[in-house]
Amino acid sequence: MPTVSADEVKGLHLALDIRHQGAEIRGGYSLNGTQWVYTDWFDPTKAGTDTRDPGKSERNGPQAWSQDWTQRWKNATAFFITGYGTKGRSTSIWIGDAKVTQGANTLFTGSFDNWTKIPARGTATPEGESVLLQPTVGTWSMVGLRATRRLEPGNLIPLRLELGTTPSAASSLDPTKTNGYAMVVSPKEIVLRALTRLGLQNAIYSLLDRWGCRWVLPGALGEVIPHRDSLTLSLGTTTSAPRYDPSVEANGRGGDYADWYNRNQCGWEKWLSGQHYWGYALPPEKHFADHPEWYALISGKRVPTQLCTSNPEVIARVIEVGKTFLRNIPHAISFPLDPNDNIDFCQCDRCRAQDPPGVGKDGNPLMTDRVVRFANAVAEGIREEFPDRLVAFYAYSTHTQPPVNIKPASNVAIIIARSHYCLLHLQPDKRCPSSLSFHELIRKWSQLTPRIYTYEYDPISWTGFLPCPTFLERSRDARILLDDYGIKGGVTDRAPGQETAAATYINNFFERRMKADPNRDPDKELTEMCDGFFGPAAKPMEAYYRTLAKATDYLHPGRERVSIGTHRYHEMFSPKMVAAARRQINDALRVAGNRSPFTERVQFVEASQRYLEAYLDGVWSAQTGDYTRSVTAFERVESLIKEMTQSGSINPEEARGRMKTVRLKTLAEHFPDRLGMVRRWKLLGPFDNTQRDADMRTDPFEPVASIAGPVTSAGGAHREWWSYESRGGFVNLESALKDRKVSWKLSYLYAGLKLQTAQAAQVQLRMDSFFPFRVFLNGREVYHRSGLDADCPDKRIVSVDLPNGESTLVLKLSQTKLTSDAFPWGLYFRITDNQGNPIPSHWDSAGALALDLHDMPKAVSTFPTEWLFRKDPDGKGSKESWFKPGLEDRDWQRIPIGRCWEDTAAGAYDGDAWYRVKFSIAKEAAGKKLALSFDGVDEEAWVYMNGQLIGEHSVASTRKSPGELWEEPFTVPVKNARIGEENLLAVRVHDSAYAGGIYKPVSLIALP
Ligand SMILES: [Zn+2]
Ligand SMILES: [Zn+2]
């Protein structure tokens, strides 16, 4: 316990007790702005004891100190502790107590209980009048504490922190113990008492909360620290035993925002996870080859989609994996054991025998019984070694409903997802039966086990960072779930950055407020937040948020619920409502005037209002048939995303991706022919897909190369093709089959199209479906996508060579579950040139889609499949001109393009690499505009032709992220081609993670 004394300052004593790890430490202090005193290095070997007795350091002495800090805090009573660690190693410091005394009187007791680790980001500026934690910089970590005011003997009540130990009878995993605290207020002192550092931290922040401090969003803009001199507290003891356990949120949360979570009293020490984990427990890449029987049996074949959980060997193995997991992660409360996120479960007899008979509302058998049975078996296996730890999984997808024939064991926890229920009406509301069903689901689970948590989607997932009006609704429901069903806690599915985003920060802030104290009144919270956060603009901003919140009055007519994604999201907002919100935020801007930081805060929110307005304009003008206005509005959406990216108030990758979907779906729906969407199809089927295996097996009449005549199915029946034409650009197969009575719920079918061309050409098929599909061109498979994935027109692009004359396209489309209206079974499909422009077409008299390829870009060169390749880990290729025609490249590797380099002899690699290829150009290209067309380069590309940089597809050139660039086709104009001679194309590729390289075809095209 190193301590320092300050008796030279008017008889005052400052005592600190300090524990630390991994570093030497030193400190400094100043009392009422008197000269700073710097301590010598403390001897780490003497640290670590905690007697709480103020003592004297034997080795005080001056040290260099941060001028910056001493300047800023020059009039304060403050002290710092800094730990120096070896570079790269972490340093931890705890300050258990700090006390200033004068004679027998305690003048000030301030304490801070936290630790910081290297590296952490950012620097902090002392502000306000409170105890502040300063983050770390460089190789040292620092904790600073500043007194709340100048010391005035006789006028202060000491604040004492007491850290107790958990009684042996209590579990160290009980959040009411670990996160709770007591505050004892008497005329003489305030005592904050807790059993853990986390509890003390919550106590301190709760006191600051009473002071009026708010951390509305992470970062300086979100801090509300009121200036005041005194605080009135009622006498007596207040205890807080948090009802919401935040440990279920610990995984992946915090990060840069950890301080913000802590300050909102939602820090955590333990981690409860129920994530999708079957695939991680027994990774197929390790075991599938030797033990196919550990994995799912589907259609007579073993496939690694899920585990075969009735196999005793699988259970025994996973128990061992679970034990290792819990041994290695001491802060893990649970071993996660949710199935992989797909619905392709094992169909072996033993597994099936565990399922209750029949199918659920989604057309699939209920999987919960087998999921629970497996979790119970593993939970039993770990119980002896880990008596107070759990196995946890989600109630989600085909295992949402409670089990029928089995109960979860006492050491199994369930995290119940709201994904199949209304995400707008969160409280039980008679007008929305889906909201009642969700609460009924919670009630049913709560009768089976007390260990239930919820998994929420708020703001509504996949809505591209648009405003989501659920903050009051969600807050009210949080209390209902706790009071009426006794849930233990909850986690929210959210895209990174929602805590700081202009439109969605408020949902996150309200979530934190209610989780820290579910007894709060959400309406009062909104008033208080607006008062503190928007100052003079509080009134119009509160009105603004109340206007947005009215969107929960929308009752989604014609469908049972609002689900994730932007499907009909616009219907929540009426033109009147948006106009009112606009007036209110304009009022707010006006009253805020130039008063910092209130103006900045209103402007911050106002950008999200413009974003909402542009999005709605895009959708609404498409609905009225105004193509130009709609496209212009969506361009405005794009530029607003850019603007907000610069101010850090949106996640650009997420927003851009979702808005691209909205734009394409909206335009495809209202202007199908303009986009070249194929609406007229021949359909074959439906066939029975109750086993959900159609996508994985082959019918006897496959491949289907013609749509001219009937086919003969396995049973000998003839099946005819029939015609269907959709109204919009989406071919909704559920609508197409509406009048066809069948005895099964899940179907598959074939969709066919005859094409007629007057010349051979390379075209792009741009398409997508939420469900698995395969594409055959003239009997040859050219594309396959399995599983389920949120669809977006143009998301799947494949280049195909059409021969001159007639071709037949056939798609095999499989429905593997019944869906909501948001992601129905169907298809987006169009045929474009290499640039994505629709190809002019008409239906000819023979019923074929005749493509007018006259104005099509033509491929004028063919590249060899193998290119020269060289890794460039040191980035010297540019300096050494690896793109020059004359370069000695005989020792370069030869690898094929058209697949990522990880799948070639090049092997696993992240970083820079170069491709080179020589090729010639056909004479017909002379005088034409030429371009290189890349179907896909993962991630960034710089293109050199004959020694010259002619274009790039990079973060710098597009302002897009690698996550967007890698799957985006692009073209580069070519002006220096040598017709009839040899040309050299060189491409530098940069890949930062996962697969990399030129993984799709490249062609040189002549533009019309
Ligand atoms: Zn099985
Ligand atoms: Zn609803």
Side-chain angles (χ1 to χ4, degrees):
M1 186 207 64
T3 57
V4 292
S5 73
D7 50 357
E8 69 274 23
V9 187
K10 294 176 194 163
L12 297 176
H13 291 261
L14 168 64
L16 304 176
D17 84 60
I18 297 163
R19 288 180 296 130
H20 64 91
Q21 238 177 32
E24 292 183 293
I25 57 173
R26 64 189 183 185
Y29 61 88
S30 165
L31 296 171
N32 280 349
T34 54
Q35 201 181 352
W36 281 86
V37 178
Y38 306 112
T39 69
D40 199 350
W41 298 99
F42 292 117
D43 180 359
T45 59
K46 290 185 183 165
T49 52
D50 182 1
T51 67
R52 300 199 170 253
D53 245 350
K56 288 186 178 179
S57 165
E58 66 275 43
R59 293 204 294 163
N60 284 349
Q63 286 285 344
W65 196 262
S66 158
Q67 287 297 320
D68 189 38
W69 279 40
T70 55
Q71 273 306 306
R72 268 193 259 203
W73 286 6
K74 60 186 172 197
N75 294 319
T77 291
F79 48 84
F80 305 110
I81 301 300
T82 300
Y84 284 79
T86 317
K87 201 167 188 168
R89 278 182 49 205
S90 69
T91 297
S92 310
I93 306 168
W94 293 268
I95 304 177
D97 206 352
K99 202 178 222 179
V100 181
T101 57
Q102 188 175 40
N105 297 326
T106 300
L107 301 179
F108 170 80
T109 308
S111 183
F112 202 84
D113 195 279
N114 207 321
W115 68 103
T116 51
K117 282 180 184 163
I118 292 169
R121 285 183 211 161
T123 55
T125 312
E127 241 182 59
E129 306 182 10
S130 312
V131 173
L132 294 176
L133 165 68
Q134 300 299 324
T136 60
V137 182
T139 59
W140 44 274
S141 67
M142 176 187 284
V143 180
L145 187 67
R146 184 172 59 153
T148 53
R149 62 174 94 183
R150 292 179 65 81
L151 295 176
E152 288 165 34
N155 194 24
L156 294 173
I157 294 180
L159 174 65
R160 191 149 56 83
L161 301 189
E162 287 182 10
L163 184 60
T165 47
T166 310
S168 56
S171 168
S172 65
L173 304 177
D174 178 357
T176 60
K177 300 268 186 309
T178 55
N179 300 17
Y181 55 86
M183 187 186 300
V184 187
V185 182
S186 71
K188 283 192 175 156
E189 62 175 4
I190 300 168
V191 182
L192 302 181
R193 193 178 289 151
L195 299 179
T196 65
R197 290 182 297 142
L198 180 60
L200 271 188
Q201 176 180 291
N202 287 340
I204 292 167
Y205 281 119
S206 139
L207 200 59
L208 292 176
D209 183 78
R210 284 159 215 247
W211 188 268
C213 301
R214 295 287 183 277
W215 287 275
V216 178
L217 61 128
L221 190 69
E223 290 190 358
V224 177
I225 313 288
H227 292 259
R228 51 193 290 180
D229 288 330
S230 63
L231 176 67
T232 306
L233 297 170
S234 38
L235 294 175
T237 302
T238 320
T239 54
S240 166
R243 291 198 281 160
Y244 236 109
D245 177 6
S247 59
V248 69
E249 302 183 86
N251 186 30
R253 293 285 183 270
D256 291 349
Y257 309 145
D259 282 351
W260 182 76
Y261 281 92
N262 286 331
R263 288 166 178 170
N264 279 297
Q265 299 172 57
C266 288
W268 48 77
E269 285 181 334
K270 301 284 193 279
W271 172 45
L272 191 154
S273 166
Q275 73 192 77
H276 307 300
Y277 208 78
W278 288 12
Y280 296 107
L282 293 182
E285 55 277 17
K286 230 163 124 184
H287 304 295
F288 185 68
D290 294 335
H291 293 284
E293 76 283 4
W294 291 357
Y295 298 89
L297 181 76
I298 294 178
S299 205
K301 260 192 312 205
R302 292 284 172 180
V303 283
T305 50
Q306 299 284 5
L307 297 178
C308 176
T309 51
S310 63
N311 183 332
E313 222 174 279
V314 168
I315 295 170
R317 277 278 179 155
V318 173
I319 289 172
E320 290 315 307
V321 173
K323 286 180 179 170
T324 310
F325 181 97
L326 293 172
R327 273 177 219 137
N328 288 347
I329 311 178
H331 65 278
I333 296 177
S334 65
F335 174 53
L337 206 55
D338 199 59
N340 301 332
D341 194 359
N342 66 58
I343 56 175
D344 299 317
F345 283 84
C346 185
Q347 299 176 352
C348 83
D349 291 341
R350 273 195 307 199
C351 282
R352 276 192 173 174
Q354 297 182 357
D355 304 334
V359 291
K361 256 170 60 184
D362 64 351
N364 282 304
L366 180 67
M367 289 293 121
T368 318
D369 281 60
R370 64 165 86 176
V371 171
V372 171
R373 200 171 291 276
F374 184 48
N376 282 0
V378 175
E380 198 47 49
I382 63 158
R383 192 193 289 272
E384 196 182 314
E385 185 176 342
F386 304 100
D388 61 353
R389 302 226 244 165
L390 310 170
V391 164
F393 63 85
Y394 303 133
Y396 168 74
S397 184
T398 49
H399 54 288
T400 301
Q401 293 300 321
V404 176
N405 298 317
I406 188 169
K407 269 178 138 181
S410 61
N411 58 340
V412 168
I414 325 290
I415 303 166
I416 304 167
R418 210 192 274 256
S419 50
H420 291 278
Y421 300 87
C422 188
L423 301 182
L424 182 67
H425 300 113
L426 307 176
Q427 306 178 78
D429 182 341
K430 280 199 195 93
R431 298 170 306 165
C432 173
S434 175
S435 69
L436 300 177
S437 305
F438 177 70
H439 291 82
E440 179 61 13
L441 175 78
I442 301 280
R443 193 187 61 77
K444 284 196 267 180
W445 272 107
S446 71
Q447 287 174 341
L448 297 178
T449 169
R451 293 193 189 279
I452 53 170
Y453 298 77
T454 53
Y455 192 106
E456 302 275 0
Y457 300 79
D458 178 278
I460 298 172
S461 302
W462 300 5
T463 49
F465 283 70
L466 286 167
C468 182
T470 46
F471 39 90
L472 294 177
E473 176 79 13
R474 169 92 192 278
S475 301
R476 293 176 186 130
D477 191 52
R479 187 162 169 183
I480 293 171
L481 292 173
L482 281 163
D483 288 350
D484 296 0
Y485 308 104
I487 67 162
K488 301 259 182 236
V491 59
T492 304
D493 187 274
R494 67 169 66 88
Q498 273 177 350
E499 298 94 331
T500 53
T504 56
Y505 79 91
I506 188 167
N507 301 61
N508 292 270
F509 179 63
F510 269 74
E511 180 190 6
R512 301 271 68 96
R513 295 298 290 168
M514 296 309 290
K515 284 189 173 176
D517 182 359
N519 294 331
R520 286 184 170 129
D521 172 0
D523 285 293
K524 221 174 109 197
E525 280 298 312
L526 181 60
T527 308
E528 272 182 26
M529 183 203 97
C530 289
D531 279 346
F533 195 53
F534 297 112
K539 278 223 160 64
M541 283 310 289
E542 183 178 342
Y544 171 77
Y545 277 121
R546 290 202 186 277
T547 300
L548 284 188
K550 278 205 199 95
T552 55
D553 291 346
Y554 166 68
L555 290 173
H556 41 82
R559 53 180 174 152
E560 65 174 35
R561 65 193 181 102
V562 170
S563 56
I564 60 167
T566 44
H567 176 70
R568 295 173 69 182
Y569 195 79
H570 57 271
E571 290 178 4
M572 289 194 288
F573 305 93
S574 69
K576 233 174 125 181
M577 180 196 289
V578 177
R582 167 48 65 192
R583 276 195 307 277
Q584 285 151 346
I585 207 156
N586 283 350
D587 280 353
L589 283 171
R590 207 186 56 245
V591 252
N594 278 325
R595 268 169 287 188
S596 191
F598 307 111
T599 314
E600 287 88 333
R601 289 172 181 158
V602 180
Q603 285 169 342
F604 167 78
V605 178
E606 195 269 344
S608 73
Q609 171 68 16
R610 271 184 287 148
Y611 182 53
L612 174 68
E613 288 162 351
Y615 151 79
L616 292 172
D617 191 13
V619 177
W620 287 342
S621 39
Q623 287 172 339
T624 58
D626 192 337
Y627 179 81
T628 312
R629 180 165 174 172
S630 177
V631 168
T632 313
F634 282 122
E635 279 165 8
R636 216 159 67 235
V637 165
E638 275 289 303
S639 64
L640 279 163
I641 293 173
K642 259 189 202 153
E643 180 191 320
M644 287 197 280
T645 303
Q646 271 156 19
S647 62
S649 58
I650 201 164
N651 172 335
E653 199 170 317
E654 179 71 14
R656 221 178 261 129
R658 303 297 171 199
M659 284 302 129
K660 183 178 161 195
T661 304
V662 178
R663 186 184 73 235
L664 283 172
K665 279 193 171 176
T666 304
L667 297 177
E669 178 63 22
H670 297 283
F671 312 99
D673 298 337
R674 235 176 150 130
L675 268 69
M677 306 305 299
V678 179
R679 299 186 293 123
R680 200 192 287 184
W681 292 88
K682 290 280 185 197
L683 301 181
L684 180 71
F687 302 95
D688 185 356
N689 194 28
T690 303
Q691 301 304 320
R692 307 182 316 283
D693 61 354
D695 186 58
M696 302 182 205
R697 64 176 169 75
T698 306
D699 275 321
F701 51 82
E702 285 188 51
V704 187
S706 158
I707 59 170
V711 301
T712 310
S713 60
H718 291 285
R719 305 294 291 269
E720 296 283 349
W721 291 88
W722 51 282
S723 298
Y724 179 74
E725 182 165 348
S726 68
R727 203 168 44 85
F730 178 66
V731 184
N732 187 321
L733 296 172
E734 292 172 23
S735 307
L737 296 180
K738 212 170 52 216
D739 300 326
R740 304 204 158 225
K741 295 235 163 15
V742 292
S743 58
W744 57 81
K745 284 189 167 175
L746 296 173
S747 300
Y748 71 99
L749 55 65
Y750 298 83
L753 180 66
K754 226 160 52 172
L755 295 171
Q756 184 68 45
T757 61
Q759 65 190 68
Q762 193 183 64
V763 299
Q764 284 183 355
L765 309 182
R766 293 181 166 233
M767 56 210 167
D768 205 17
S769 175
F770 182 68
F771 287 90
F773 67 101
R774 291 175 184 270
V775 185
F776 300 85
L777 177 64
N778 296 326
R780 194 173 63 82
E781 182 170 295
V782 293
Y783 189 80
H784 176 216
R785 192 182 70 71
S786 56
L788 299 174
D789 191 12
D791 56 340
C792 171
D794 283 10
K795 190 165 171 186
R796 322 283 161 179
I797 302 176
V798 59
S799 294
V800 296
D801 291 311
L802 292 182
N804 185 6
E806 192 180 288
S807 293
T808 303
L809 260 171
V810 174
L811 287 89
K812 182 178 185 181
L813 299 141
S814 306
Q815 180 184 29
T816 50
K817 66 184 272 198
L818 292 183
T819 54
S820 67
D821 59 335
F823 298 104
W825 183 36
L827 175 72
Y828 290 100
F829 190 96
R830 62 185 188 138
I831 301 175
T832 71
D833 65 21
N834 283 319
Q835 325 266 305
N837 305 306
I839 298 170
S841 63
H842 65 274
W843 293 98
D844 69 13
S845 54
L849 183 66
L851 298 175
D852 179 2
L853 299 171
H854 200 72
D855 292 332
M856 269 279 292
K858 290 182 191 62
V860 288
S861 177
T862 32
F863 294 100
T865 37
E866 287 206 328
W867 292 23
L868 295 173
F869 178 80
R870 186 170 172 186
K871 291 172 194 164
D872 185 14
D874 309 320
K876 59 188 180 184
S878 299
K879 229 184 272 166
E880 295 178 2
S881 304
W882 291 6
F883 47 82
K884 283 280 187 227
L887 186 83
E888 177 51 67
D889 57 11
R890 264 181 304 186
D891 56 341
W892 284 38
Q893 252 181 311
R894 275 172 195 283
I895 66 166
I897 62 156
R899 64 182 74 167
C900 59
W901 63 50
E902 278 82 355
D903 292 344
T904 71
Y909 174 69
D910 290 328
D912 269 13
W914 291 75
Y915 289 86
R916 283 166 68 89
V917 69
K918 288 176 185 158
F919 67 102
S920 54
I921 302 172
K923 287 252 166 40
E924 305 90 85
K928 298 239 170 85
K929 259 200 200 161
L930 300 178
L932 278 161
S933 166
F934 292 82
D935 284 4
V937 178
D938 190 350
E939 299 155 345
E940 297 176 274
W942 290 261
V943 181
Y944 297 83
M945 180 82 159
N946 297 326
Q948 260 183 325
L949 178 68
I950 57 166
E952 63 182 86
H953 187 244
S954 63
V955 172
S957 69
T958 62
R959 312 192 83 174
K960 291 181 182 172
S961 68
E964 293 165 278
L965 293 177
W966 76 275
E967 54 178 1
E968 186 178 78
F970 62 96
T971 55
V972 177
V974 176
K975 289 183 182 138
N976 60 345
R978 297 179 186 140
I979 314 287
E981 286 176 56
E982 189 179 77
N983 290 272
L984 177 84
L985 171 64
V987 183
R988 171 162 79 93
V989 176
H990 177 76
D991 178 46
S992 65
Y994 312 113
I998 305 178
Y999 73 104
K1000 283 191 175 179
V1002 180
S1003 47
L1004 182 74
I1005 51 176
L1007 300 172

